Amino acid sequence: MSHTDVGPVSEGISIDELRLAARNHGMPLEALRYDLTPVGLHYLLIHFDIPETESADWSVELGGRVGDPRPILLDEIVASPAVTVPVTMECAGNGRALLEPRPISQPWLDEAVGTAAWTGTPLRPFLERAGVGPDAVEVVFAGADHGTQGDVEQDYERSLPLDEAMRDDVLLAWAMNGQPLPPQHGFPLRLLVPGWYGMASVKWLRRIELVSSPFDGFQQEAYRLRDDDDDPGTAVTRIQPRALMVPPGDPDFLTRERFADAGAIRLRGRAWSGYGPIARVEVSSDDGATWSDAALEPAPAPYAWVGWTFDWDAPAGRHRLRARATDETGATQPDDPPWNAGGFSNTTPQVVDVTVG
Ligand SMILES: Nc1nc2c(c(=O)[nH]1)N[C@H]1C(S)=C(S)[C@@H](COP(=O)(O)O)O[C@H]1N2
Ligand SMILES: [Mo]
């Protein structure tokens, strides 16, 4: 079994990667202008096929170290006290295709992000009703989707440590921006784990199992920061800080290089972190040689991106803009994040080339 596959430095994107990229689209960066990403513009990551699901009679099986393995009916979930919270979700592989050598997988540049208002109900009361066994350490969540990855046939399955699963803000979610979840985002029910990279928020949620030793299923092992397949590495969990800007001016069709008029340009964007509030966003117009602080808007919610603006007096010429975020823990976006074979958490600051005329 292999969890990683790395191409030679010189190798371009393959047809297989292009097919993945066409199925799993990113959020067009101009959509950073919306507080809440319109559903069709939110990024997508689907490992296998979108399963054929129906809400009628949907239930979540319960198993493992529980006292009462009664399934949880979707009707019961939807009838429970509902909350709606804006949460920014980002794929752990965002930035992967910019690494050299390039890990072979979904080839994200920097667009694998979106923010939705998710409606759901906390998971915890259902775990309490099930009676968590004294030896339970993790909760495994399985989706209804099925396929093969790294030669391993599997349902999509991920676990959370028990204390994370018991957080008040971990939700069983059935709606996104006020609409029932669309098929591609997990209809009729998904898990939502605010602050963690997207892989933890299991879609098409079908089964919950409490286990007495750490889960080592394929997707659990796949999301680790490792040098190569033999390296045990460390688990990918929460979202590292990142800022992105709406690319200013107008784009070239093919290269998406920007063209703008000289003078005052208000740059704007969003920043987020799964470790705490954003403390600072900085912008550079000289490819990172010098940085200036952007103005932060009030944070809308603990795990939703925060808006920022920066007034740039753009002189004529070619400029390389960059933006970077720092969160309240002091973590920031390194110029050269450590390479890893899965291509995770590449938060090197965004590059936007602009010709000002
Ligand atoms: N069942 C299931 N859940 C899943 C996935 C999947 O392939 N199957 N992909 C995960 C990954 S890697 C990400 S980044 C998020 C993406 O969620 P979205 O497509 O709603 O944006 O879903 C996660 N949940
Ligand atoms: Mo992902």
Side-chain angles (χ1 to χ4, degrees):
M1 165 193 341
S2 171
H3 292 101
T4 59
D5 184 10
V6 177
V9 170
S10 57
E11 193 176 280
I13 299 275
S14 68
I15 287 288
D16 287 347
E17 290 170 287
L18 176 59
R19 192 184 299 108
L20 274 177
R23 288 181 56 84
N24 295 306
H25 66 73
M27 182 191 72
L29 292 184
E30 61 273 30
L32 288 162
R33 70 170 78 104
Y34 306 110
D35 292 335
L36 296 178
T37 312
V39 171
L41 297 180
H42 193 283
Y43 87 98
L44 279 184
L45 197 298
I46 298 151
H47 283 72
F48 306 123
D49 286 353
I50 298 170
E52 199 174 350
T53 54
E54 282 188 33
S55 55
D57 297 330
W58 188 269
S59 66
V60 181
E61 283 169 39
L62 263 177
R65 306 299 220 245
V66 290
D68 175 4
R70 250 183 313 160
I72 315 171
L73 309 181
L74 179 62
D75 290 346
E76 298 177 296
I77 295 171
V78 174
S80 302
V83 292
T84 297
V85 278
V87 171
T88 296
M89 196 181 290
E90 182 179 20
C91 183
N94 204 11
R96 175 183 289 126
L98 299 168
L99 290 172
E100 273 191 33
R102 193 180 75 258
I104 308 289
S105 183
Q106 166 73 22
W108 297 121
L109 298 168
D110 47 21
E111 61 293 272
V113 66
T115 298
W118 301 94
T119 300
T121 194
L123 167 67
R124 182 166 67 193
F126 292 98
L127 295 180
E128 285 167 349
R129 175 181 104 180
V132 175
D135 57 349
V137 295
E138 287 193 356
V139 188
V140 182
F141 301 90
D145 47 336
H146 190 89
T148 302
Q149 192 175 344
D151 290 330
V152 179
E153 194 184 332
Q154 56 189 282
D155 295 333
Y156 183 90
E157 290 180 308
R158 285 277 316 176
S159 78
L160 285 177
L162 189 56
D163 56 337
E164 289 285 333
M166 289 292 209
R167 274 168 46 191
D168 288 334
D169 55 357
V170 168
L171 301 182
L172 297 170
W174 60 83
M176 187 179 180
N177 294 3
Q179 304 289 323
L181 292 178
Q184 65 273 29
H185 288 291
F187 178 83
L189 188 72
R190 79 179 300 168
L191 186 68
L192 184 77
V193 187
W196 282 51
Y197 280 115
M199 76 280 158
S201 293
V202 174
K203 302 192 269 190
W204 314 290
L205 184 64
R206 244 295 80 126
R207 199 168 62 245
I208 296 179
E209 194 175 336
L210 281 94
V211 292
S212 57
S213 58
F215 178 63
D216 64 356
F218 186 92
Q219 300 298 340
Q220 206 69 21
E221 292 298 304
Y223 287 89
R224 296 184 74 85
L225 300 171
R226 31 173 135 238
D227 296 335
D228 56 41
D229 234 26
D230 299 327
D231 175 9
T234 55
V236 175
T237 58
R238 286 175 182 260
I239 301 175
Q240 298 289 336
R242 190 192 297 270
L244 289 176
M245 75 179 84
V246 176
D250 296 315
D252 174 67
F253 166 69
L254 187 62
T255 64
R256 303 208 63 81
E257 270 193 49
R258 316 298 301 186
F259 298 92
D261 293 334
I265 297 180
R266 172 157 288 191
L267 300 174
R268 59 199 282 227
R270 308 276 171 175
W272 60 93
S273 165
Y275 287 90
I278 292 296
R280 186 177 196 191
V281 170
E282 296 159 285
V283 173
S284 171
S285 58
D286 52 13
D287 194 16
T290 59
W291 295 89
S292 305
D293 279 291
L296 290 180
E297 290 165 7
Y303 294 109
W305 58 25
V306 58
W308 58 265
T309 55
F310 180 81
D311 289 320
W312 181 37
D313 189 14
R318 286 200 79 210
H319 307 281
R320 176 159 283 186
L321 302 178
R322 309 197 76 158
R324 71 179 179 204
T326 303
D327 68 20
E328 278 193 355
T329 72
T332 187
Q333 297 182 239
D335 290 339
D336 217 353
W339 187 91
N340 66 92
F344 300 121
S345 290
N346 178 14
T347 57
T348 187
Q350 179 190 16
V351 166
V352 180
D353 287 326
V354 191
T355 298
V356 175

